[in-house]
Amino acid sequence: VSGLALGAAVTLGVPALAAGSAVLSRIEEKKREEAARIAREANDPTGTILAGGAALAAAFILASVLTSAAPPAAPPAAPPAAAPAAVVVAKPKPVPAPAPAPAPAP
């Protein structure tokens, strides 16, 4: 029974160790590639220049959109209406005040 268990452990363990080793070596290779890429980008100012240019372009576009989207100006004032024609109204004749009543006789 122990031989069977030992055989199974070796049979399953050796490929697992090989696969684990391959995965670890691939991870290390990716880390080296990433470090090399970061070093290249640090020495190459192209990315910084492109990022700065993109920021300036975005600022320009934003400014042009904001200036063109200004609220519309108030509509022009309507010309003043023509003065109505003068209407001549005759003044009513004053009503004469009634004459004072005669004083009663004493």
Side-chain angles (χ1 to χ4, degrees), residues 1-105:
V1 176
S2 65
L4 185 61
L6 181 61
V10 169
T11 303
L12 295 175
V14 170
L17 286 175
S21 174
V23 168
L24 287 177
S25 67
R26 183 72 178 137
I27 290 172
E28 289 300 320
E29 181 182 350
K30 284 291 188 183
K31 285 181 182 179
R32 285 191 304 273
E33 289 174 359
E34 182 69 13
R37 183 188 63 81
I38 290 172
R40 274 194 317 271
E41 288 178 359
N43 293 332
D44 185 17
T46 304
T48 305
I49 293 170
L50 290 177
L56 287 175
F60 176 75
I61 291 171
L62 181 63
S64 66
V65 166
L66 290 178
T67 56
S68 68
V87 177
V88 178
V89 177
K91 289 186 178 179
K93 291 184 178 180
V95 178

